[in-house]
Amino acid sequence: MSSTTNAVTTGAVMTNAVRQPGPEPTCPPPDPHPRKPGYVPPPGACDAHFHVFGPGDVFPYAPKRPFTPYDQPKATLLALHRFLGFERGVLVQSSCHGTDHRALLDLLADTGGRYRGVALLDPETPDAEIARLDAAGVCGVRFNFLPHLGGRPSIEGMRTVMEKVAPFGWHVEIHVTGKELLDSLDLITSIRGKVVIDHIGRVDVTEGTAGFAFGALKRLLDRGSIWVKLSGVDRISRAGPPFADAVALARALARHAPQRVLWGTDWPHPNISRFMPNDGELVDLIPQIAEDTRTQQLMLVDNPTAFFGFAKA
């Protein structure tokens, strides 16, 4: 397994990936030296999308996982949030942990209601397990459509899972690319309850705001029950840091539907193959995405408070 050792120093958080005996990681660790951002998030700000990995010797990775990460445990995440200025967060279950939610539940149990969780479920998940997750602070279920994470899920299986979580009022999280977004519009609009699209729909940034997928995403936001996470600018950018091409798309969505946008770091950025972002620099992009204090307050505080069911700040 892999593991990390962490040191908090004056003005910096450092995360040093240390290899231990076990499977070789198949994706790189995050930038070990996040910069202190100049932008200060408002009180009650929420990082609406991140993951926690392991540590593998405590919370083992799934045998059939699609990738093996470096350990990035709870302590590292919480130190990073303090450093960046986030008081709340939403842990999205990673496919490398599969449907074993012990690492997620460990974070929720230790953070006094300041964090929520998004689960990965299969149609055979018992109702009692869903009730247990709900009581712990899980409030949503995610479906991955990307090939490297298992590909398009069974529509019948999705509907079974959504029926199981509906009594708890969970939202549905959709992780697609732009083409899959277009192919899945009927499915997405048929979902009852709240829906959020991850990472700007992973639209093709070269198509700009005139692209078909981007236009479809805007129309989805106009429905009033669908949100989008303005995370992952590093994932969809073709230009590289400071990701101006992707930031322009995020900014257009924040202008179009400020009450339907959320923001997240996507730490520790699994399966990034080109531009590993610096998390402090990502935070400094927030004022470029949400251009005024009202939109920043909505994106970072008011919208996540309502969407994820936090107590009002």
Side-chain angles (χ1 to χ4, degrees), residues 123-233:
E124 291 73 39
T125 302
D127 293 343
E129 173 64 6
I130 297 173
R132 183 175 78 100
L133 294 171
D134 180 77
V138 174
C139 62
V141 61
R142 190 190 202 200
F143 297 105
N144 288 307
F145 285 63
L146 275 67
H148 71 275
L149 297 177
R152 187 180 180 89
S154 157
I155 302 303
E156 181 180 352
M158 285 183 63
R159 295 199 185 282
T160 298
V161 169
M162 289 189 289
E163 288 175 4
K164 284 176 172 285
V165 305
F168 299 94
W170 287 12
H171 71 268
V172 174
E173 190 157 317
I174 302 293
H175 187 200
V176 291
T177 64
K179 181 182 184 306
E180 291 157 340
L181 178 70
L182 291 172
D183 293 342
S184 303
L185 288 176
D186 289 343
L187 170 65
I188 293 170
T189 56
S190 73
I191 297 172
R192 298 176 182 176
K194 296 183 296 187
V195 178
V196 62
I197 309 297
D198 283 348
H199 305 327
I200 319 177
R202 297 184 72 141
V203 297
D204 185 345
V205 73
T206 64
E207 296 178 353
T209 57
F212 288 115
F214 189 82
L217 186 55
K218 289 173 64 177
R219 291 192 296 275
L220 288 174
L221 299 184
D222 292 340
R223 298 178 66 87
S225 61
I226 300 175
W227 281 252
V228 64
K229 292 183 182 178
L230 304 184
S231 53
V233 292

Side-chain angles (χ1 to χ4, degrees), residues 46 58 132 184 265 269 277:
C46 176
V58 179
R132 183 175 78 100
S184 303
T265 58
H269 314 287

